[in-house]
Amino acid sequence: MNRPSLSIVVPCYNEAACLDILHARISGAAKVAVGDDYEIVLINDGSRDDSWGVMQRLAAADPRLVAINLSRNHGHQLALTAGLDLCAGEQILIIDADLQDPPELLSDMRAAMAASQADVVYAVRRQRAGETVFKKATAAAFYRLLTRMTETPIPLDTGDFRLMSRRALDAFLSLPEQARFIRGMVAWIGFRQVPFPYDRAERLAGETNYPLAKMIRLAFDAVTGFSTAPLRFASHAGLALTGVSLLLFVYIAIGWLSGSAVQGWTSTMLVTVFLGAVQMFVLGMIGEYLGRLYVESKRRPLYIVADVAGPIQGKATLGFRAEPVDVVRLPDTSLPIRVD
């Protein structure tokens, strides 16, 4: 395989309004960094707008652009996995299509990688323009909580915007799990990884593709994928409740010996509701882990590629690439008309 020096991998979902400007900016950044020795890999993750049509047009005009159309919406992390699996570069830049992460930082990130002889340069957000106070606060709290819960150090205030070497990517592609938290998986593979501080811009166009529900789902993937602390919660809660029960027993015994009436149904119902809530939470977390074991046991491909536009070089090792559809001409089986 004749590998280009650089692959730029961009997952896209309903990003038709951004794609022309995105293509111009990442092409310009790539040419400054490596000349013409690069490829751009755009992944259409089941978009409902004209994203795939725009990608096909861009691929027809640019021989260094590869457009990949997934068979349905697989989600951001699996769409990104598809692009990483199918790219061919010696270095790989991961960036989102909304241009909140400036592609013009590519040359500086490559310089940081060379100077520190690192395999991963991950971008750390100093400022997050255009985001609500709620999102900033919850994101900051989540990453700090995750760091305390996991044995793998996951960098704070980072997204998927990063530059990786080919050997780091090959190590990442050896991880086949379905529920993917890519920034945590990249941290888990190790090698030398260095931070790159930057200021995040506002979204260029459209709406965020990570509403609160998807953020919560991603948080569950992160916690259950990199920590067993929720399972240990059951034993810790059991010990704590045992201590509370002993104190409650002492309180009841003192009340009985002193002849005073012990308060009845209020305290009983409070304890019952509390214990029930703890039990349901523990059962729910156990169900999350069992559900993930069930999904992993199926060994399904992580993604399915329906169509490709452009000169693709990579092979689908974690997913499935469908064969292109050819127009088949059926034989003419009509009987000749007999004229007497």
Side-chain angles (χ1 to χ4, degrees), residues 306-307 321-326:
D307 304 288
R321 179 182 173 186
E323 293 296 326
V325 177
D326 295 326

Side-chain angles (χ1 to χ4, degrees), residues 125-270:
R125 301 161 180 168
R126 290 180 303 207
Q127 301 291 332
R128 299 163 65 108
E131 296 185 357
T132 63
V133 174
F134 174 78
K135 185 171 183 178
K136 293 178 183 178
T138 53
F142 164 69
Y143 281 112
R144 282 152 182 80
L145 177 62
L146 183 63
T147 298
R148 291 181 175 273
M149 294 177 64
T150 63
E151 297 179 357
T152 301
I154 299 176
L156 299 176
D157 303 319
T158 62
D160 293 318
F161 183 36
R162 64 193 62 220
L163 181 68
M164 300 176 65
S165 68
R166 169 50 59 174
R167 73 167 186 164
L169 178 62
D170 287 342
F172 166 81
L173 293 176
S174 69
L175 308 178
E177 55 256 43
Q178 292 271 349
R180 303 178 80 79
F181 182 62
I182 289 178
R183 62 204 72 169
M185 296 169 69
V186 173
W188 183 89
I189 63 174
F191 299 111
R192 181 166 176 76
Q193 305 192 20
V194 296
F196 183 87
Y198 79 111
D199 296 326
R200 200 173 198 219
E202 293 187 40
R203 183 179 178 85
L204 179 65
E207 298 179 353
T208 178
N209 293 319
Y210 260 109
L212 181 59
K214 286 189 177 181
M215 292 297 295
I216 293 174
R217 183 74 265 169
L218 184 64
F220 267 99
D221 288 341
V223 171
T224 55
F226 290 89
S227 175
T228 57
L231 292 177
R232 294 195 300 270
F233 173 81
S235 58
H236 296 163
L239 290 174
L241 291 173
T242 299
V244 172
S245 299
L246 290 175
L247 293 176
L248 184 61
F249 175 78
V250 171
Y251 169 74
I252 293 173
I254 292 174
W256 181 77
L257 292 173
S258 63
S260 61
V262 178
Q263 296 297 323
W265 70 272
T266 302
S267 58
T268 303
M269 290 301 297
L270 179 62

Side-chain angles (χ1 to χ4, degrees), residues 49-184:
D49 62 2
D50 192 37
S51 292
W52 177 238
V54 176
M55 289 181 191
Q56 288 177 299
R57 171 171 57 80
L58 293 173
D62 185 353
R64 287 174 292 276
L65 189 146
V66 180
I68 298 168
N69 187 34
L70 300 184
S71 62
R72 61 173 178 84
N73 178 253
H74 287 70
H76 179 272
Q77 299 292 284
L78 290 180
L80 178 54
T81 298
L84 295 174
D85 196 21
L86 294 168
C87 72
E90 291 293 343
Q91 292 181 330
I92 301 91
L93 177 70
I94 302 172
I95 189 169
D96 286 337
D98 55 19
L99 290 174
Q100 288 186 277
D101 304 321
E104 292 77 13
L105 297 177
L106 171 60
S107 294
D108 292 337
M109 295 174 76
R110 295 184 76 242
M113 175 176 280
S116 58
Q117 296 184 339
D119 284 284
V120 178
V121 175
Y122 57 89
V124 180
R125 301 161 180 168
R126 290 180 303 207
Q127 301 291 332
R128 299 163 65 108
E131 296 185 357
T132 63
V133 174
F134 174 78
K135 185 171 183 178
K136 293 178 183 178
T138 53
F142 164 69
Y143 281 112
R144 282 152 182 80
L145 177 62
L146 183 63
T147 298
R148 291 181 175 273
M149 294 177 64
T150 63
E151 297 179 357
T152 301
I154 299 176
L156 299 176
D157 303 319
T158 62
D160 293 318
F161 183 36
R162 64 193 62 220
L163 181 68
M164 300 176 65
S165 68
R166 169 50 59 174
R167 73 167 186 164
L169 178 62
D170 287 342
F172 166 81
L173 293 176
S174 69
L175 308 178
E177 55 256 43
Q178 292 271 349
R180 303 178 80 79
F181 182 62
I182 289 178
R183 62 204 72 169

Side-chain angles (χ1 to χ4, degrees), residues 275-315:
L275 291 177
V278 171
Q279 290 172 346
M280 292 301 295
F281 175 79
V282 171
L283 287 174
M285 292 308 304
I286 293 174
E288 281 285 331
Y289 283 91
L290 288 177
R292 294 179 188 279
L293 288 174
Y294 170 70
V295 171
E296 295 291 344
S297 68
K298 296 180 180 181
R299 308 302 298 169
R300 290 177 177 173
L302 299 186
Y303 62 89
I304 297 177
V305 175
D307 304 288
V308 173
I312 191 169
Q313 297 189 52
K315 295 183 179 180

